[in-house]
Amino acid sequence: MDREELVQLITKQVLQQLGDAAPTAQRQTVQPQPDALFQEGGSAAKGVYPDEVVIGLAPAFGLDKQQTICGLSHRDVMKEMMAGVEEEGMKCRLVRVHNTSDVGFIALTAAKYSGSGIGIGIQSKGTVVIHQKDLYPLTNLELFPQAPLITLEIYRKIGKNAARYAKGQSPEPIAVMNDCMVRPKFQAKAAVMHIKETERVRQDIPAVSEVTW
């Protein structure tokens, strides 16, 4: 059995243990848990103030999943990113993007709702993108794909850099570690988390909603 087949087998077994045999249509109707970290508001409005950075949360962030792939609390992650934005003298607004689980499109949506045109997108597993509203979806300002290697310190730096882009600066890209063994080590868990994230995608409600603590 090669590595790819092994990963598929592990993923299938984990999904079975999590009880993921229920039909997709039924899963989509599950309501947020009472202990969700964030409160959902009404439809989000597009920002008009240039001192704003919008953070776009993936569909399951802080709901079904409340920790990143390496065990960091979503609450702590959000505190650090927001603190980074605010340290640069900018304001931060949270929105939930319901119609996609793709972090690039989440970040681009956040940027389009941001008064400054700069947004951050984050998935439940911790992957982050800093985006700008007039860029193509697969183009971005900074990408942090290896979620297991992102620390709270780096999340704070991500907030700071996003705020600097919003101020029209050209900050030095954030240096992150690179480990070629991260993908095989976390591939099965990442696949499960992405499946759970995608189950939360909804097309029958407003694409973007306001989020508060």
Side-chain angles (χ1 to χ4, degrees), residues 98-109:
H98 294 280
N99 64 350
T100 181
S101 59
D102 185 289
V103 69
F105 283 91
I106 292 169
L108 181 58
T109 300

Side-chain angles (χ1 to χ4, degrees), residues 69 126-127 143-150 176-183:
I69 197 169
T127 306
L143 167 65
F144 305 88
Q146 292 194 320
L149 301 180
I150 306 178
V176 295
M177 294 186 297
N178 184 36
D179 184 350
C180 63
M181 293 306 297
V182 163
R183 186 173 184 273

Side-chain angles (χ1 to χ4, degrees), residues 130 141-144 157 161 164-165 170-176:
I130 304 176
L141 297 175
E142 292 191 55
L143 167 65
F144 305 88
K157 290 180 179 179
N161 260 21
R164 289 167 179 166
Y165 287 117
S170 298
E172 188 74 20
I174 299 167
V176 295

Side-chain angles (χ1 to χ4, degrees), residues 20-159:
D20 280 321
T24 301
Q26 293 180 0
R27 291 196 295 261
Q28 287 183 334
T29 61
V30 176
Q31 298 300 313
Q33 299 172 353
D35 59 347
L37 297 181
F38 310 102
Q39 299 299 315
E40 300 293 319
S43 298
K46 293 189 176 181
V48 295
Y49 299 106
D51 62 345
E52 172 186 71
V53 172
V54 169
I55 299 178
L57 309 182
F61 189 95
L63 299 177
D64 298 314
K65 299 297 180 183
Q66 298 190 4
Q67 292 184 338
T68 67
I69 197 169
C70 61
L72 297 178
S73 164
H74 285 175
R75 183 181 296 277
D76 291 340
V77 167
M78 202 51 51
K79 283 182 178 179
E80 291 300 318
M81 280 206 295
M82 293 178 71
V85 171
E86 292 166 359
E87 284 175 357
E88 291 295 320
M90 304 292 280
K91 298 176 182 178
C92 191
R93 182 162 62 106
L94 305 183
V95 303
R96 170 129 16 230
V97 180
H98 294 280
N99 64 350
T100 181
S101 59
D102 185 289
V103 69
F105 283 91
I106 292 169
L108 181 58
T109 300
K112 290 181 176 179
Y113 275 78
S114 173
S116 67
I118 300 298
I120 302 171
I122 182 167
Q123 291 176 317
S124 294
K125 63 183 177 180
T127 306
V128 179
V129 169
I130 304 176
H131 225 309
Q132 185 173 306
K133 68 177 182 180
D134 53 358
L135 295 178
Y136 289 110
L138 298 182
T139 307
N140 55 68
L141 297 175
E142 292 191 55
L143 167 65
F144 305 88
Q146 292 194 320
L149 301 180
I150 306 178
T151 64
L152 291 176
E153 179 184 4
I154 292 174
Y155 283 114
R156 196 181 193 99
K157 290 180 179 179
I158 290 171

